[in-house]
Amino acid sequence: MEKSLVIVESPPKAKTISKILGRDFQVKASVGHVRDLPKNRLGVNVRKNFEPQYEILREKEPIVKELREAAQEAERVYLAPDPDREGEAIAWHLAELLDLPKSKLHRIEFNEITKDAVMAALKTPRQIDKRLVDAQQARRVLDRLVGYKISPLLWRKVNGRSAGRVQSVAVRLICEREQEVTNFEAQEYWSIKASLSKQKSKTAFLAPLYKWKDKRVIAASEKATAQTMVIENEREAKAIVKAIEDKNFEVTSVSEKASQRKPQPPFITSTLQREAANQLGFPVKKTMQVAQTLYEGIELGTEGPTGLITYMRTDSTRVAQQAQDEARKFIETKYGKDYVPAKPWVYSRKAKNVQDAHEAIRPTYPEKTPDEVKKHLSSDQYKLYKLIWQRFMASQMSAVKLNTRTVEITAGDAIFRASTTEKKFDGFTIVYDRAAKVTQSETDEENGEGEGHEEETENLPVVKEGEALNLKELVKNQHFTQPPPRYTEATLVKTLEELGIGRPSTYAATVATIIDRKYVERQNKALIPTKLGQAVNLLLVEHFGNIVDVSFTANMEAKLDQIEEDEIDWHGMLKEFYQPFAETLKKAEENMNKVVILSDQTCPACGQQMAIRSSRFGQFLGCVGYPECKTKIALTKEGTPVPEDRPSDEVCTKCGAAMIIRYGRYGDYLLCSSEECKDQRPILKTTGVLCPREGCGGAIVEKKSRRGKIFFGCSNYSLNKCTSAYWYPPLISGGPNGANLCPQCHSMLLYKTLKRGDQVQCSNKECTFAELATGKEVHA
């Protein structure tokens, strides 16, 4: 019997869908794009109406052959890539290559990989949406024209690696913010607080000076009006203190206000990236990689592969009615009726270019709590799933009920003000209390509110109007305004979204590209432009000002949306862009001067300065005296000169010669000093513990995974002789094999460093032994 064929992008997604559909369907993966513009040439026929010249990717030729054969044998073919422009384009490319009758070829899409969603999609197949395809093609051709035309010019003039339509704007934003920080001049201002107490009470509270002579006292960074004032220096602060220190302090106003705090909307791509960066420390690229695995399916024991979240590239906060109903039912069962709002919250967004094609990011099964699925998830998957689950469940819960009490105290011409807020009902914070981690203004910003919030006062007693208070002390504090904060990955994504630049699918790639190209570097969490990034930005702003203009780039994004809505033709849009762009490019080639980026190093051969240069292998230092002086110095990934070879205590296991330490592409390694041998091996950080596997003879050493994560494995691991590997180090002892042994099963113990406290745990997965660590030695 002929089976139907379903084609998706990734093998994990294929595995999950195959489990859902059963034996009557064959599910295969294209493993991403199978066709694209050529890598070594422009690939766009500008004269022939900007026709793209696609090629099958060389590494995908076997996959295309396999898909063609399977499609010919199938009764029906369902194209099921992701539900966005990129997914639609993949489906179109597959359709072009498979060359099947329209009656046999169907496009299906689903926002979540669940049985209900997949089966519903099969019942409602459609044709490929050429509007979505055209919008993706327009973006691809536009990016190729900008990249392939400007990048060679940058290479010649500044050794820049590349230019990009969106990435160059991101670099400009970061460079301009850095300039603001550099040019910032701090402004001094002062604040005054009164330390007060009730009569016959020893407990004091602080009340900030709110008004002086009918003018509200503000910080120097706040917007000044005719009704406000700034205490600019210590002299003014002392004069105010002197004028009121002998006055009576009397309560002149006591007010109470009931309010509520609504939950934040469920995540969209940008807010998930920001929150994961702020709470979990995840780079945006990592967030999307982990979210992809949660979407495509996780092995849940006997349930098999299961998609745990909805599609993670979205800018809509919309939630399906069924998902709302399931969440409300779970909330009522778990937390009680009071935590379910009378009507579900409706979240709308005012940002530019919002599309409502998909739902918000949410768990596919609200009843699958993070703790329930934790044993099936990696640490990163668990953290991100917990964040998504908590945010969504909170978004469907009742508001927090608050009561704010405000007290005004008058002393002469001064009014002091103290406020405290009491939580009357915890509402959604029982699940997700983001307020503990961010300011209320950030919360209001996401809910479309903007009401100001005052500083909270601790120990504010119950007082009455007319009540006299004791003055214990008047406290003066000096302050200085702060420069605007440098962008982090999270705030850059937020800014790009607010400006209407890029799409949910491009944020992570944009940030990763500008870091990989060495235009920007991370310092702690801040994004700081490198010398190369600043030089490239200056050239682009001078010669391609419109290309890296924020408004121009946002307008191009809007036009891509118009193509998707079938309001404008994509060929016409490209023609409108290209004519002035070609003229600008010609002028830049004639007028752009070569820029040399000097480093702090001097040439060891001739004493002249070394310049930062680029090659296809990365950056290096080259003497400015080139070609007379051809001295080059290789740079490490961190941008420092590569160290010279160093002696080691190791001897070569093949010829017995001394080994030296040499820096290579992946860091330091051991190299045999004999010219005839030249054997290499990695430098192993030993733990002093022997491999617990019987007869192995290896030792447990520190290693790095392909993604740079540290783990501990047998020294024979890389030789494929032993598979012993652990994410945590062994607990060291003075025993014969160097490790402490489990009191229950006598396996090796591991030392786990966790946020909730360090633990000692058995390395045997079948053993349950674990206890809190109490000062036991561990390999660092």
Side-chain angles (χ1 to χ4, degrees), residues 324-349:
Q324 281 187 330
D325 294 343
E326 289 175 358
R328 289 166 68 85
K329 184 179 178 181
F330 178 88
I331 292 163
E332 183 175 339
T333 303
K334 176 82 172 175
Y335 303 105
K337 286 186 178 181
D338 290 344
Y339 290 88
V340 183
K343 292 182 179 179
W345 298 110
V346 177
Y347 300 103
S348 59
R349 298 194 61 229

Side-chain angles (χ1 to χ4, degrees), residues 165-179:
R165 190 176 55 85
V166 175
Q167 77 181 48
S168 298
V169 178
V171 173
R172 180 177 185 173
L173 290 171
I174 294 167
C175 288
E176 288 178 348
R177 177 58 58 85
E178 190 65 23
Q179 196 62 45

Side-chain angles (χ1 to χ4, degrees), residues 472-483:
K472 291 184 175 292
E473 184 184 8
L474 285 168
V475 182
K476 309 185 304 294
N477 283 309
Q478 183 186 37
H479 309 275
F480 291 93
T481 53
Q482 297 298 308

Side-chain angles (χ1 to χ4, degrees), residues 75-95:
E75 182 182 5
R76 294 184 186 86
V77 177
Y78 295 95
L79 303 175
D82 289 339
D84 56 12
R85 288 178 189 166
E86 209 69 27
E88 202 72 17
I90 292 173
W92 176 72
H93 284 296
L94 285 168

Side-chain angles (χ1 to χ4, degrees), residues 664-677:
R665 187 177 178 184
Y666 302 105
D668 287 341
Y669 68 96
L670 290 171
L671 175 70
C672 180
S673 58
S674 171
E675 289 292 334
E676 290 76 24
C677 180

Side-chain angles (χ1 to χ4, degrees), residues 492-549:
L492 179 62
V493 166
K494 182 182 180 184
T495 302
L496 291 173
E497 181 190 28
E498 289 172 346
L499 294 172
I501 296 171
R503 302 294 307 151
S505 59
T506 65
Y507 298 140
T510 298
V511 174
T513 298
I514 62 177
I515 293 172
D516 291 344
R517 293 286 184 265
K518 306 294 183 185
Y519 292 159
V520 173
E521 62 185 9
R522 290 192 198 94
Q523 288 187 13
N524 296 323
K525 289 186 177 182
L527 297 176
I528 298 175
T530 62
K531 289 182 179 180
L532 176 62
Q534 290 174 324
V536 167
N537 179 62
L538 285 173
L539 285 180
L540 289 177
V541 170
E542 181 181 354
H543 297 282
F544 296 94
N546 61 329
I547 301 297
V548 293
D549 179 73

Side-chain angles (χ1 to χ4, degrees), residues 373-630:
V373 298
K374 183 178 181 180
K375 61 185 178 182
H376 303 293
L377 305 179
S378 69
S379 175
D380 290 340
Q381 287 171 337
Y382 170 72
K383 290 174 185 175
L384 195 66
Y385 180 69
K386 183 179 180 181
L387 196 65
I388 293 168
W389 188 91
Q390 289 180 334
R391 174 79 165 227
F392 172 70
M393 298 307 292
S395 75
Q396 305 304 308
M397 296 179 76
S398 300
V400 177
K401 293 180 181 178
L402 306 168
N403 186 64
T404 302
R405 185 161 51 93
T406 303
V407 177
E408 291 188 357
I409 304 108
T410 301
D413 290 330
I415 297 177
F416 292 83
R417 194 173 194 177
S419 294
T420 187
T421 299
E422 181 184 358
K423 191 184 288 185
K424 291 292 187 180
F425 175 65
D426 54 6
F428 70 87
T429 60
I430 196 172
V431 169
Y432 182 72
D433 193 3
R434 181 174 182 254
K437 300 179 178 68
V438 298
T439 64
Q440 178 66 41
S441 60
E442 286 182 80
T443 301
D444 289 343
E445 182 184 313
E446 291 193 11
N447 281 328
E449 303 166 4
E451 191 176 331
H453 296 269
E454 296 181 7
E455 182 182 343
E456 281 285 299
T457 301
E458 293 183 8
N459 304 320
L460 181 63
V462 176
V463 294
K464 298 177 181 178
E465 289 186 16
E467 184 176 343
L469 299 175
N470 289 333
L471 173 66
K472 291 184 175 292
E473 184 184 8
L474 285 168
V475 182
K476 309 185 304 294
N477 283 309
Q478 183 186 37
H479 309 275
F480 291 93
T481 53
Q482 297 298 308
R486 291 183 171 96
Y487 285 112
T488 62
E489 290 193 19
T491 57
L492 179 62
V493 166
K494 182 182 180 184
T495 302
L496 291 173
E497 181 190 28
E498 289 172 346
L499 294 172
I501 296 171
R503 302 294 307 151
S505 59
T506 65
Y507 298 140
T510 298
V511 174
T513 298
I514 62 177
I515 293 172
D516 291 344
R517 293 286 184 265
K518 306 294 183 185
Y519 292 159
V520 173
E521 62 185 9
R522 290 192 198 94
Q523 288 187 13
N524 296 323
K525 289 186 177 182
L527 297 176
I528 298 175
T530 62
K531 289 182 179 180
L532 176 62
Q534 290 174 324
V536 167
N537 179 62
L538 285 173
L539 285 180
L540 289 177
V541 170
E542 181 181 354
H543 297 282
F544 296 94
N546 61 329
I547 301 297
V548 293
D549 179 73
V550 168
S551 299
F552 175 82
T553 307
N555 184 48
M556 295 304 292
E557 293 292 341
K559 287 185 176 180
L560 292 171
D561 291 338
Q562 287 179 295
I563 293 169
E564 183 175 327
E565 297 300 323
D566 207 17
E567 295 174 3
I568 61 174
D569 174 63
W570 72 283
H571 296 98
M573 185 272 276
L574 290 171
K575 185 177 180 181
E576 182 185 335
F577 161 79
Y578 190 74
Q579 287 178 338
F581 172 66
E583 293 172 10
T584 303
L585 186 69
K586 185 177 179 182
K587 289 179 183 177
E589 288 175 336
E590 294 170 354
N591 302 322
M592 188 183 286
N593 295 319
K594 189 173 178 66
V595 176
V596 176
I597 306 168
L598 298 177
S599 73
D600 299 327
Q601 300 282 328
T602 56
C603 177
C606 68
Q608 296 186 76
Q609 273 193 286
M610 302 290 281
I612 301 172
R613 304 190 188 280
S614 298
S615 74
R616 63 192 179 96
F617 301 109
Q619 290 187 334
F620 66 96
L621 297 181
C623 181
V624 295
Y626 181 86
E628 287 77 16
C629 180
K630 295 182 172 61

Side-chain angles (χ1 to χ4, degrees), residues 12-36:
K13 187 175 175 182
K15 187 176 181 181
T16 305
I17 294 172
S18 182
K19 182 204 78 169
I20 292 171
L21 296 178
R23 295 179 180 178
D24 292 339
F25 290 82
Q26 186 179 22
V27 186
K28 289 186 174 290
S30 68
V31 194
H33 279 276
V34 292
R35 198 169 69 156
D36 198 3

